[in-house]
Amino acid sequence: MEIKRIIKELDLKGEVSLETWKPISAKKNGDGTIDILYRNLLLGDERDPVFLWVYVNVVEDEEIDVRVLEKMTFKKEDFVWVMKFVSKFG
């Protein structure tokens, strides 16, 4: 399934509104899951944007279904803090 179709399905299901979130990156994983990164259009600014990471699974039985496995909202400063913390113990 194409990434654009997955993003549209998430919008139609009410999982991620395209009125609020702009998709900026997507990555297909080897296990069939997909990571999608969105940027909030209403909150944050250019220096400190607000992001949404969505981890989805595409189930292809009789019908194709997009299922959200995990969602996380964060700001750029949160990500910097996590990377600093992980590097200390990694």
Side-chain angles (χ1 to χ4, degrees), residues 39-88:
R39 183 180 168 277
N40 194 293
L41 299 170
L42 307 174
L43 300 174
D45 56 31
E46 289 297 318
R47 291 188 326 230
D48 194 20
V50 176
F51 296 102
L52 172 67
W53 166 74
V54 181
Y55 183 56
V56 299
N57 189 25
V58 178
V59 178
E60 298 186 37
D61 290 332
E62 294 175 12
E63 293 184 22
I64 296 174
D65 188 21
V66 178
R67 298 179 184 168
V68 173
L69 301 174
E70 191 72 38
K71 286 200 264 187
M72 182 174 67
T73 305
F74 60 95
K75 293 182 82 172
K76 185 177 177 180
E77 65 187 25
D78 299 330
F79 184 70
V80 171
W81 176 80
V82 167
M83 291 306 297
K84 183 178 177 180
F85 177 75
V86 168
S87 67
K88 287 182 182 179

